[in-house]
Amino acid sequence: MSARRSFSWSTALTDMRNDRVQVPAGFLGARGRIEAAVRFGKVALVKADGTFDRAGIMTAAAAAAKAHQLTYGSTWAAAMSVALKAAWQAARTARARAAH
């Protein structure tokens, strides 16, 4: 057995880039639900002082995860993963929009 392992940095970096590029199933729908909740005033993703409203982000993500779970029949963990990614992306966008 060899005491040394070979490691290809180019393959590893390519795999990492590919993981970031892939959009999970239902991500755009979850993002749309979260943006609609913000638009209708049900939740706030950013506070007046520019910090993230974590309670609002979690509320929006939970609602989007319930809808995602009903639509795709996925587990709660998978649905929350997609919904939290969408909620944080929407929050970062909202904070950047408010700053300008």
Side-chain angles (χ1 to χ4, degrees):
M1 188 161 159
S2 175
R4 297 179 66 168
R5 290 186 177 181
S6 63
F7 183 76
S8 171
W9 280 102
S10 61
T11 303
L13 291 174
T14 302
D15 289 343
M16 287 171 32
R17 277 189 215 103
N18 289 339
D19 288 343
R20 275 187 255 139
V21 171
Q22 294 174 353
V23 177
F27 179 81
L28 296 176
R31 173 89 191 253
R33 284 184 186 90
I34 291 166
E35 288 176 350
V38 171
R39 204 173 312 121
F40 293 124
K42 294 182 181 179
V43 294
L45 303 178
V46 179
K47 295 178 186 176
D49 63 353
T51 60
F52 291 117
D53 184 359
R54 292 180 182 191
I57 290 170
M58 193 62 175
T59 301
K66 286 178 188 175
H68 183 274
Q69 198 173 23
L70 290 173
T71 304
Y72 291 95
S74 61
T75 64
W76 180 250
M80 274 303 285
S81 173
V82 170
L84 280 170
K85 286 176 187 174
W88 278 103
Q89 186 183 57
R92 285 191 299 269
T93 303
R95 185 168 76 168
R97 193 176 305 135
H100 289 91

